[in-house]
Amino acid sequence: MHRTALVALPFLLVGACSTPDSRPDTTAEEQRRAPEPIAFEKPTRPPPVAVEHAGIAFGESNVDAKLPAFFPATTHDVRVPHPDVLLRQPLGTFTAHHDEVLSALRAIAAAASDRVRIAPFGRTHEGRELVQVVIASPENMARLDDIRGRIAKLADPRGIDAGELDEIVKETPAIAWLAYSIHGDETSGTDASVAVAYHLAAGTSADVTGILRDVVVVIDPCQNPDGRERVLGMFEQSSGYVPDLDTASMRRGRWPHGRENHYLFDMNRDWLWGTQPETRARWKAIHAWHPQLLVDAHEMGSQDTFLFYPATDPLTPHFPAFTRTWWQRYGDDQAAAFDAHGWSYYTREWADSWYPGYTDSWATFQGACGILYEQARYAGGSVLRRSGEIATYREAVHRQAIGSIANVTTLAKNREAVLRDYLAEKQRNVAADTDGNARVFVIARGREAAREEHLVDSLMEQGVEVFLNDDAFEVADAEGVRGVTVAREVPAGSFVIPARQPLAPLVKATLAFDPRYDAASLERERKELERKGRSKAYDVTGWSPAHAYDLDALWCATPSVNLRPYERTARDEGVVSLPNEAPIYGWVVDGDADASVAFAARALEAGLAVQISDEPFRAADRKFARGSLLVRRVENGNDVRERVERAAREAHVVALPVTSARSRDEGPDLGGRHFDLLERPRVALLSNAPISSDSFGHAWHALDVLSGVSVSLIDAQNFGYADLRRYNVLVVPDGGGSVLSDHGEDLRTWVRAGGTLIALGGDAASALADEKMQLSAVRRRSDVLDDLGPYRRAVEREREAGKTTIDLEAVWDGKPVKTPEGPKEEPKELKGDEAKERDRWASTFSPQGAILRGEVNTDAWITVGCEDELPVFFEGSSVLLSQPPTRTAIRLAASERLRMSGLLWPEARARIADSAWLTVERQGAGQVILFAASPVFRGWFLGTARLFTNAVVYGPGLGASVPAPR
Ligand SMILES: [Zn+2]
């Protein structure tokens, strides 16, 4: 395959002695640094928005009331239309729709075209526009590209002389990026964005002109239009003529609410991963600016007040000092702005910055000072608070707007100091002597090419520099992804990501295998668990992408070999043609690639007979992994080649033609019993309350987007009416436990007739492990505390299987078996109430989201595409135990080897070690597949997502029996 052309490095990355400070003063260098142009729209005045609404009183809005101005001390240019006349009701008296917001912003931009420009930068799954609204003084607007180019030099100061950098710091406006309502049902931010845009576009007094002299403000008014539109429909459908002040009212929306985007992904957790198009578009848009401030406006519980930063501990390791320093100043100034109104607020009480993939954390790791707001949620109306106060939505919008303006004012007033600190941080990032900078993150390629390239592409889109090593190199003390320190050779052409680069903190924090809480934070967390029985951790404690993607990765010292920048190349896909059109036996797709499952799904959908191998084999002069697919010519119609070609192209794989059924090594021939016929999956996915919207969304995305499987979404509320005979796969996400329990009889009948029932962690797997369900021999640990012995012995036997040397005398001559260690002593275990009480206490320490070591049964069909170990996600207190005849496809490792990344207390470690993570059980003609935790958590875990897609696409053909036709 064609690799990259050699590109001149801006600096040498050879060895630790290289210096980044010599400036290549060529025009090519200037061209390289010139920022890509932003495609701004021509200002046009859109048609006015319809003013009258049908008359439903959303909230207590009253168009005639004299509403207090948001910024009474500021004078505004009357030629710029006020949002109150652009929207169908005054701003903040209702929740404006996405198109109404864009329409109002475009009208403001048209009237203040010397200050405001709008550029669309992407689209959502549902096709809605993502736009950035840039507001600057007319002078700054006229030199926007120059400003961006100058700020880009601060963001990457390598090779720029000190005098020029100093001049940039003194003379260049800073950049603020204001982002609103990434959680669609946290609505006030988006409405506030219109107030902020108007204020900055129309303000004529010094408070506004001062900001615009020193800051370019970029507004991302609606980060999640799909979620917002979904929930606004619910708000409106549930509103009546009489105001409803109850915070518990249905008026606040219903399943699946509006927090998440189309596939119900929480985009405030997606910044490291880019599983969603909104995130990927935003990476590019933000990277074009290199902001020094990024505000991310949210909402929280309606009885709460307002939270802003400084954040609370723990902070991610390598958290930039720039943010910690400036949080204090922004916080002080925002507090003063809120005090002027007598508003309540607080800082530091929750919202830690441990997970680095929140909007504000990611922004911080890009170099900006990231700030989170949490305003109490009033859902577009007014609510009665416990104090008796009636809080209005307009007040919520007002606070978001005041917060934003307070923050950009702080930035404007401290512009030079902020830019100087920003530059100093970037200079530290590229300096050789900065702590941790002499190391590189390496992906040795070959385990799963698509996942390796996917991670590297994602990092590059976030601005990370990625290189290839020209020559192999030896490392003495590499830190391996599986936790062992290894000496090994790194082959030429591996991906090498130096810690030392402008985004050093992002590289070090997000690619670290095992980031650990500092001692004080760990103590606080322990105290909280022991005293209050709850965790302070706001989100997962482990996130390592190398684990999530199951890559062969390592951290090691910077090697002394030449590194050249990696450039993306197109991947091969489709059908390969044979040179002389020899008679074709069939087409083979390698089962190592995740995309082979997508090929199978499409080929089966196209009516092809597809076979899958249960052992590796050799064909067309290359080796194919277990789980490789075969489409035989004679088993399919005349147009087989076209159908294979189409499926291969859609799945982005290569289908290799083979001319013989003979495997020319010890592997099986292609015409025999090691190939099984797959069955077209007819998939139902349980949807609607009480299903967890995340668990449902992640599963839907994995099937629909990653694998191209046609899926029917079945309503959990009307499950009794579903005709299950139409489907041969039923996927039950977390939250579906009660649906399973309520329909035990129907499910047993369906499974035993050939159905594949798949439960995705949490209460779904837990419900099936209930003895009363009569569908599984797997048990919840808490249900068998008095009888743990057989499970423990089953694990011992499983681990020993195939490892013992045979005692020949015992076999042939009947002599007693020699057991070198003697019989193992059964450990003493608590029983009865004592055991229950102990288990309850231990479960308090259950992980919030950690990465554990899974031992893979590589004989099970469900594990095709996996090696002998696999990092798996685990959260919660439900622990599953299994013993034969249940097939345990993934067993969690023994206690001392269990934890790979994230926080796992000793109590949890003892409970979870040796438990079952993935089981497959035959039930009549069908089967039950239990995942102890989500295999597709947030779209991160591509390693275990493979198991899920295997289960869905291969399950009907491999684990269940299909009657032969007659
Ligand atoms: Zn939120």
Side-chain angles (χ1 to χ4, degrees), residues 48-72:
V49 180
V51 172
E52 283 305 316
H53 195 265
I56 293 176
F58 295 154
E60 79 314 338
S61 102
N62 181 346
V63 181
D64 299 329
K66 187 91 185 122
L67 294 161
F70 282 180
F71 300 97

Side-chain angles (χ1 to χ4, degrees), residues 207 211 215 293 330 333 404-414:
D207 56 332
I211 291 173
V215 177
L293 166 69
Y330 285 113
D333 291 354
S404 301
I405 295 301
N407 289 166
V408 291
T409 303
T410 303
L411 179 58
K413 289 198 166 140
N414 299 278

Side-chain angles (χ1 to χ4, degrees), residues 100-122:
E100 294 175 307
V101 168
L102 294 194
S103 192
L105 291 170
R106 284 180 166 132
I108 290 167
S113 58
D114 57 343
R115 277 195 197 180
V116 186
R117 282 191 206 169
I118 293 180
F121 66 85

Side-chain angles (χ1 to χ4, degrees), residues 181-186 259 266 268-269 296-300 350 372-374 377 538:
S181 300
I182 197 165
H183 294 144
D185 54 359
E186 301 172 6
R259 177 183 180 87
D266 183 339
N268 195 35
R269 305 292 187 276
D296 186 37
H298 289 248
E299 290 183 347
M300 57 182 166
W350 59 275
L372 170 87
Y373 300 166
E374 294 279 356
R377 187 185 313 181
Y538 190 54

Side-chain angles (χ1 to χ4, degrees), residues 265-266 268-270 273 275-276 355 358 538-540 694 698 701 873 875 934-941:
F265 272 59
D266 183 339
N268 195 35
R269 305 292 187 276
D270 195 42
W273 311 87
T275 66
Q276 303 303 303
Y355 168 60
Y358 304 120
Y538 190 54
D539 205 81
V540 296
D694 311 69
H698 302 161
H701 183 259
F873 176 72
E875 64 176 342
S934 174
V936 287
F937 181 70
R938 295 180 181 162
W940 297 359
F941 285 79

Side-chain angles (χ1 to χ4, degrees), residues 447-452 454 548-551 571 589-602 627 629 651-653 702 706-707 864-866 870 941-947 949-950 953-954:
R447 189 178 288 176
E448 222 292 63
R451 284 185 218 158
E452 290 154 3
H454 180 63
Y549 293 1
D550 189 29
L551 304 180
R571 284 161 53 81
V589 173
D590 192 356
D592 245 357
D594 297 338
S596 60
V597 189
F599 170 83
R602 286 176 165 94
L629 303 165
H652 308 293
V653 297
L706 299 186
S707 314
V864 296
C866 303
L870 185 63
F941 285 79
L942 298 183
T944 51
R946 177 67 194 267
L947 296 164
T949 53
N950 283 350
V953 178
Y954 301 155

